Amino acid sequence: MALERRRDAAGGGPGRQAPPAEENGSLPPGDAAASAALGGRAGPAGDLQPLPAPHPAPPGCSAAAAPSLLLLDYDGSVLPFLGGLGGGYQRTLVLLTWIPALFIGFSQFSDSFLLDQPNFWCRGAGKGAGPAGVPGAANWTGPAASPPAPAPAPWAPPGNASRGGADAPPLPSPPDRPDNASHCDCHAWDYGIRTGLVQNVVSKWDLVCDNAWKVHIAKFSLLVGLIFGYLITGCIADWVGRRPVLLFSIIFILIFGLTVALSVNVTMFSTLRFFEGFCLAGIILTLYALRIELCPPGKRFMITMVASFVAMAGQFLMPGLAALCRDWQVLQALIICPFLLMLLYWSIFPESLRWLMATQQFESAKKLILHFTQKNCMNPESDIKGVMPELEKELSRRPKKVCIVKVVGTRNLWKNIVVLCVNSLTGYGIHHCFARSMMGHEVKVPLLENFYADYYTVASIALASCLAMCVVVRFLGRRGGLLLFMILTALASLLQLGLLNLIGKYSQHPDSELQLKLAVGMSDSVKDKFSIAFSIVGMFASHAVGSLSVFFCAEITPTVIRCGGLGLVLASAGFGMLTAPIIDLHNQKGYFLHHIIFACCTLICIICILLLPESRNQNLPENISNGEHYTRQPLLSHRKGEQPLLLTNAELKDYSGLHDAATAGDGLPENATANGMKSM
């Protein structure tokens, strides 16, 4: 009695207590039964995984304040009514989200060609002799070899761009100059560009020697623009809608992108590239969210991966495009001009119906549903579950929009987003470490001493990673696949840092001079081979980690704040990629510490991934309350008849008044405990 009085006084009496979040993702029996009538989906363990029961209305408010459960269950009621992906109009819209991925791929990998450091030598110098008796060899200077920097991927996406890490194929011998002339005393240069262009940004404004740092600033500009674009356009898209952000981003990328080709100096170029990256982020983010929100649960991952493959096609075609253009200004204009086709989206691409329903804009949603049924030539009588009658009752409701900052007040959702942000940051950040190890100074591979070999090696590794993701995620799910790829990344990193140093340590203590020579030769050869092997595995796994983290976030973030959550994870990926030009700017100083820090982050991520939910074949959460129900599940489902370690909601007990009950002690037998009768 004392316990019941305590509950009544605190407002927690029967009918007011909200069901607690379930540890393994299932719902209590009462909620599951109610959801089954709404088309709830059964989870892997047989428990239903539909929308949770709404929170009870506060005192003084009627229960009618909450919208109908039927309208909130988009995947279970609205999407089947529209025919899912079986409707021709929905398939057309998905196709329209794939086509721009090719243009996005061109823009993302353009830095590899516009800002590649060419070989250069002094123009019109006198005759001199270089080292080893090679005439004019002292006059030749070139860039330090550097690995390809990971390109922004946003949508989780494709592979990382290559900047070419080694020397180009033999070029004609440069003119001679006097022996006492230093490499950077010249005022005019000749360039040997390796990317198929006759002129690029570096050669146009002589960004070599003392001006070489400006190249890294130009690389910063696109990445920093992407980071700010993800954060800002994500919040705006959750407030005003996906379609307006997409269309305004298209208009402004045309303006800024074409103006980049008319730059008169490197400062103007870098500034305009920042705004180009900002607008590109808006296009990437909104298309990613629209693609996810159009699909039923079983098709989301494969449709997203198709977009990634289309963007990678842009990566593979980029060298041929550069060879055709021959000039960086023509190349930049040709990359941006295809976005003109996307201006047609104003008239053919609608707003996200899922977002309209989640934000309770039911009047606009009704018009769009009628538009869908008309395009699909559907009979309104096929509305078996009564979506339209329920929608008619809610037309007077005011829209309810949410900003991403609301996630701070949640219990589980903010943790999931933070974990995925750290995973994305680590995956894209450590990718540069592996790329440098494979294509840097310490590993000399004849095949990789060519720009195109560098570029296509990185692109091929990314393609293999995406193909492996399709297989692994199908069998292990989102969380299991992410955990597997993170473990591979951690192993490759730790073995590269530890095992290779161990080989070098033991090779320094031979018994004789002959053994010393043999040990040194064998040590260098073995270290090079192991370094290449670990680098390939690391690049393969880290790319999958970054791409899968972005997709995972899109699934577990509620519709009302999905673009904001995606913006946070994509911005974290941008910060990871930003470490590559920072290390290059400091002439590779601090690279080893950079690798160690990210290797430690992989170990932390492995633990944190276990806290994430599994979203495979689950309905997308529509509001923050739904997102809170995406809680962790056992990594491996328990066998039939085996007692699970995590209790279900039906087994959870309320311990809020235990202290008072123990103090009162009235009516309890001597052998009674909090959970029942103790054994004697």
Side-chain angles (χ1 to χ4, degrees):
M1 297 297 294
L3 179 59
E4 293 178 358
R5 287 195 298 271
R6 164 74 66 174
R7 290 177 178 172
D8 293 338
R16 290 191 177 190
Q17 185 174 358
E22 178 59 35
E23 283 295 320
N24 61 0
S26 63
L27 293 178
D31 293 338
S35 301
L38 299 180
R41 183 176 297 274
D47 295 329
L48 288 172
Q49 301 280 346
L51 296 172
H55 292 288
C61 296
S62 63
S68 170
L69 283 176
L70 188 67
L71 300 180
L72 293 180
D73 187 16
Y74 187 89
D75 285 313
S77 57
V78 180
L79 193 59
F81 166 56
L82 298 176
L85 279 183
Y89 188 54
Q90 289 92 307
R91 288 199 298 266
T92 302
L93 294 179
V94 170
L95 179 62
L96 290 176
T97 65
W98 286 342
I99 295 174
L102 183 66
F103 314 149
I104 292 170
F106 290 150
S107 296
Q108 283 190 300
F109 304 116
S110 60
D111 269 359
S112 304
F113 300 85
L114 300 180
L115 296 170
D116 179 66
Q117 282 279 12
N119 298 302
F120 58 94
W121 59 90
C122 188
R123 182 186 303 167
K127 188 174 181 63
V134 179
N139 304 322
W140 180 275
T141 180
S146 57
W155 57 91
N160 299 337
S162 170
R163 288 184 288 104
D167 296 334
L171 295 172
S173 298
D176 299 330
R177 71 175 176 199
D179 292 342
N180 59 357
S182 66
H183 289 316
C184 293
D185 282 345
C186 295
H187 299 287
W189 306 91
D190 286 327
Y191 296 92
I193 302 176
R194 309 170 298 171
T195 60
L197 297 173
V198 174
Q199 185 186 60
N200 67 357
V201 174
V202 178
S203 62
K204 181 176 179 62
W205 292 305
D206 293 329
L207 303 181
V208 295
C209 293
D210 293 339
N211 291 323
W213 62 274
K214 296 180 181 179
V215 177
H216 302 297
I217 299 300
K219 292 175 182 176
F220 288 165
S221 61
L222 185 67
L223 284 174
V224 174
L226 283 164
I227 292 171
F228 278 96
Y230 289 137
L231 295 174
I232 296 175
T233 59
C235 295
I236 297 175
D238 286 331
W239 197 258
V240 303
R242 283 73 163 122
R243 184 171 176 263
V245 173
L246 174 63
L247 296 174
F248 277 102
S249 298
I250 293 169
I251 293 171
F252 283 106
I253 199 174
L254 288 169
I255 296 172
F256 291 117
L258 293 176
T259 311
V260 167
L262 304 177
S263 301
V264 296
N265 54 45
V266 68
T267 304
M268 181 179 177
F269 176 86
S270 300
T271 305
L272 291 172
R273 287 285 278 181
F274 170 84
F275 291 106
E276 181 188 349
F278 189 97
C279 300
L280 184 64
I283 296 174
I284 293 171
L285 190 145
T286 51
L287 285 176
Y288 202 103
L290 286 167
R291 195 180 299 121
I292 290 286
E293 292 172 356
L294 278 168
C295 302
K299 305 291 184 181
R300 289 193 298 257
F301 183 72
M302 292 310 299
I303 285 179
T304 302
M305 291 308 300
V306 170
S308 298
F309 290 128
V310 174
M312 293 179 65
Q315 182 181 4
F316 278 94
L317 293 174
M318 194 65 191
L321 199 63
L324 289 174
C325 294
R326 306 294 290 170
D327 186 83
W328 74 270
Q329 293 173 307
V330 178
L331 178 63
Q332 172 67 17
L334 192 60
I335 288 171
I336 297 298
C337 282
F339 286 103
L340 286 169
L341 299 175
M342 294 188 68
L343 292 175
L344 299 174
Y345 282 36
W346 181 269
S347 59
I348 62 177
F349 209 99
E351 182 56 85
S352 170
L353 177 59
R354 187 188 293 267
W355 177 77
L356 291 175
M357 299 289 286
T359 54
Q360 301 180 17
Q361 301 181 64
F362 294 124
E363 187 172 355
S364 300
K366 178 186 175 183
K367 296 177 182 178
L368 190 53
I369 288 177
L370 294 175
H371 179 68
F372 270 76
T373 56
Q374 181 182 2
K375 289 288 185 180
N376 291 329
C377 301
M378 295 176 57
N379 186 359
E381 296 180 358
S382 62
D383 184 11
I384 302 176
K385 296 187 177 182
V387 173
M388 295 303 292
E390 289 292 336
L391 196 58
E392 293 284 351
K393 300 176 184 178
E394 305 287 349
L395 293 180
S396 60
R397 186 178 296 276
R398 295 182 60 184
K400 186 178 179 180
K401 300 177 182 178
V402 185
C403 183
I404 186 63
V405 295
K406 291 288 186 180
V407 80
V408 178
T410 60
R411 181 179 179 182
N412 298 312
L413 188 57
W414 75 269
K415 298 176 186 178
N416 295 337
I417 294 177
V418 169
V419 168
L420 292 172
C421 285
V422 176
N423 276 270
S424 179
L425 172 68
T426 303
Y428 283 107
I430 203 171
H431 191 282
H432 173 70
C433 301
F434 292 121
R436 183 187 181 278
S437 297
M438 185 171 69
M439 301 177 184
H441 295 289
E442 66 273 14
V443 180
K444 299 297 182 182
V445 183
L447 178 63
L448 300 180
E449 294 179 359
N450 180 278
F451 170 82
Y452 294 107
D454 277 358
Y455 186 88
Y456 283 115
T457 297
V458 176
S460 300
I461 292 173
L463 177 61
S465 177
C466 289
L467 292 172
M469 282 172 58
C470 297
V471 178
V472 171
V473 170
R474 179 175 181 179
F475 289 99
L476 298 182
R478 279 64 159 152
R479 185 176 61 165
L482 183 59
L483 181 63
L484 174 63
F485 287 120
M486 184 60 80
I487 291 173
L488 288 177
T489 304
L491 286 176
S493 180
L494 295 175
L495 289 174
Q496 191 170 56
L497 291 172
L499 182 61
L500 299 185
N501 290 332
L502 191 66
I503 294 175
K505 176 182 176 182
Y506 281 100
S507 66
Q508 295 174 1
H509 303 283
D511 296 334
S512 64
E513 183 177 352
L514 178 60
Q515 291 180 355
L516 174 62
K517 295 180 180 179
L518 293 175
V520 171
M522 177 179 285
S523 172
D524 291 340
S525 175
V526 171
K527 284 179 65 175
D528 288 352
K529 292 178 181 178
F530 273 112
S531 180
I532 294 173
F534 293 147
S535 297
I536 292 174
V537 173
M539 293 172 68
F540 170 87
S542 61
H543 176 267
V545 166
S547 301
L548 198 51
S549 297
V550 177
F551 175 76
F552 209 161
C553 178
E555 284 199 319
I556 67 173
T557 307
T559 301
V560 291
I561 56 170
R562 178 163 294 121
C563 286
L566 267 175
L568 289 174
V569 177
L570 287 169
S572 300
F575 277 115
M577 291 182 285
L578 198 60
T579 59
I582 289 175
I583 294 295
D584 291 341
L585 181 62
H586 291 83
N587 198 22
Q588 304 296 333
K589 293 179 181 178
Y591 157 76
F592 189 72
L593 179 61
H594 172 213
H595 198 166
I596 289 177
I597 292 173
F598 278 117
C600 295
C601 288
T602 59
L603 301 178
I604 298 173
C605 290
I606 289 173
I607 300 173
C608 293
I609 288 172
L610 298 175
L611 303 176
L612 294 173
E614 177 55 63
S615 58
R616 178 173 59 176
N617 293 330
Q618 302 297 324
N619 295 345
L620 290 178
E622 304 300 338
N623 50 44
I624 292 181
S625 176
N626 301 155
E628 281 290 272
H629 273 66
Y630 265 68
T631 50
R632 64 187 178 93
Q633 303 165 330
L635 188 62
L636 300 175
S637 58
H638 59 274
R639 298 178 181 177
K640 187 176 181 180
E642 180 182 354
Q643 180 67 27
L645 297 178
L646 300 177
L647 297 177
T648 63
N649 257 351
E651 297 167 331
L652 291 174
K653 299 184 182 298
D654 185 6
Y655 298 99
S656 59
L658 284 182
H659 180 71
D660 294 338
T663 303
D666 49 354
L668 290 177
E670 293 183 357
N671 61 341
T673 64
N675 293 324
M677 305 295 290
K678 66 180 180 181
S679 59
M680 301 300 293

